[in-house]
Amino acid sequence: MNIALLLAAGTDPTFGMDVPKQFVNVYNRPIIVYTMETFQNHPEIDMIMVACLKGWENMVDAYAKQFGISKLRWVIPGGRTGQETSKLAVDRLMEECSSEDIIIIHDAIRPMVSDAIISDSIYTCKKKGMGVAAVTSMDNVMMTDDGMTGRLSISRYAFRRIQTPQTYLLGDLKKAHEEALDKGIEHENDTNNIISRLGKDVYFSKGSDKNLKINTVEDVAMFKALYAMKNGDI
C-alpha cells in the first residue's frame, strides 16, 4: 500500500499573511487542497494522512469533504519540528499499517508536485529503499563564514537541492526515528537529514524547479502564475 503523508504542521512568523502558508487561498482554494488533490488523483496513491497544525484538524477534514478528497484517512496534530511531526505520523501509521507499506512524505506547501515526480519517488524507493526528490542547482555556490564574503566556490554539479516527496518503507522510517533518538539526533526538519546523519546514503529521485515550495508571499504569486500557465490561462 502507498500512503501519502502530507506535512502541514509548520508555522512561519516571517510569512506576511494572516493565515499559515498551507491554508492561504489561491483562486478560491487553500494551497493544501491543491496538494491533496494531486495525491487524490494519482493512481498509485491508496491513502492520505495529513499531519496538521494543531487547531486546524477540523478545517482539513472540512476541506476534504468539500473538495472530494476521499483518500484522506487520517488527520493528526503535528509536533514542534519536522522530525517530531514525522515520528508522530510514523508511530500512528505503525498501529494500522504494514512495515512494508510505502510512505510518500510531502510538504503540503509544495502544491505543484507532478505525477511524474511522485511516481519516480515511489519507483526509486522500490529499487533503492528510498526515493528523495532532488534537483541540480542552476547556480554555483560559495561557502561563507560571515554571510558577506566567500571563501570556497563549489561547483553546482557537486551538490543537489533536496525537495519532497521523500519516499521510504514504513518499517525503515520507524527504525530511523528510533535510532536517531538513541543517538541524540533531534530538531531536524527533513527525513533525509536524519538518514544522512545516521551515516546512510540518500538515494535521489526526480525533482523539478517547478516543484515550488511556498515560503514567502512572493512564492504565492509565483504559484498563481505557474498554476495559470499549467491550466492554459496564460
Side-chain angles (χ1 to χ4, degrees):
M1 186 161 57
N2 298 332
I3 302 165
L5 168 56
L6 305 185
L7 303 181
T11 58
D12 184 350
T14 67
F15 186 64
M17 291 190 176
D18 294 333
V19 298
K21 293 178 283 189
Q22 56 270 41
F23 297 106
V24 169
N25 270 298
V26 174
Y27 300 128
N28 298 315
R29 292 188 181 197
I31 285 171
I32 190 174
V33 168
Y34 290 94
T35 309
M36 287 196 293
E37 285 179 330
T38 299
F39 286 89
Q40 168 73 24
N41 295 329
H42 196 289
E44 293 184 79
I45 299 300
D46 299 300
M47 295 181 183
I48 298 171
M49 169 184 273
V50 174
C52 181
L53 188 65
K54 290 181 180 179
W56 289 79
E57 298 93 335
N58 291 338
M59 189 64 72
V60 172
D61 277 324
Y63 287 147
K65 291 181 175 67
Q66 180 181 356
F67 293 100
I69 311 298
S70 60
K71 292 180 182 179
L72 181 65
R73 178 158 177 175
W74 307 272
V75 181
I76 66 167
R80 296 165 296 176
T81 65
Q83 181 174 348
E84 185 175 314
T85 296
S86 178
K87 184 179 186 304
L88 289 169
V90 167
D91 288 345
R92 175 64 182 277
L93 290 172
M94 285 295 295
E95 296 175 3
E96 301 182 43
C97 304
S98 165
S99 60
E100 297 301 312
D101 286 337
I102 289 176
I103 310 302
I104 303 96
I105 303 173
H106 187 68
D107 298 321
I109 52 174
R110 288 187 187 271
M112 290 295 293
V113 64
S114 69
D115 286 348
I117 289 174
I118 295 169
S119 292
D120 194 64
S121 188
I122 294 170
Y123 173 81
T124 305
C125 179
K126 290 178 178 178
K127 292 291 185 180
K128 302 290 187 179
M130 70 184 74
V132 175
V135 292
T136 302
S137 174
M138 296 302 293
D139 304 299
N140 291 342
V141 297
M142 293 196 74
M143 296 288 293
T144 179
D145 293 322
D146 57 12
M148 297 168 51
T149 59
R151 61 179 177 82
L152 177 64
S153 182
I154 304 174
S155 167
R156 66 190 182 95
Y157 300 108
F159 68 96
R160 296 292 182 270
R161 292 190 290 110
I162 301 301
Q163 303 179 335
T164 62
Q166 299 182 11
T167 301
Y168 307 88
L169 296 176
L170 178 57
D172 290 345
L173 281 175
K174 177 69 173 176
K175 291 176 184 176
H177 279 291
E178 290 174 346
E179 189 176 348
L181 290 181
D182 288 342
K183 294 186 175 181
I185 299 172
E186 298 181 297
H187 309 301
E188 291 291 348
N189 286 324
D190 288 333
T191 302
N192 70 283
N193 291 346
I194 298 171
I195 299 299
S196 63
R197 289 188 63 183
L198 290 174
K200 301 174 183 178
D201 289 334
V202 172
Y203 288 93
F204 300 137
S205 58
K206 181 185 298 183
S208 171
D209 287 326
K210 293 181 181 179
N211 188 17
L212 176 71
K213 186 175 184 180
I214 308 295
N215 284 317
T216 66
V217 173
E218 289 77 13
D219 291 333
V220 176
M222 181 68 73
F223 169 52
K224 288 181 178 180
L226 288 171
Y227 184 80
M229 290 177 63
K230 177 183 175 183
N231 289 275
D233 294 334
I234 294 180

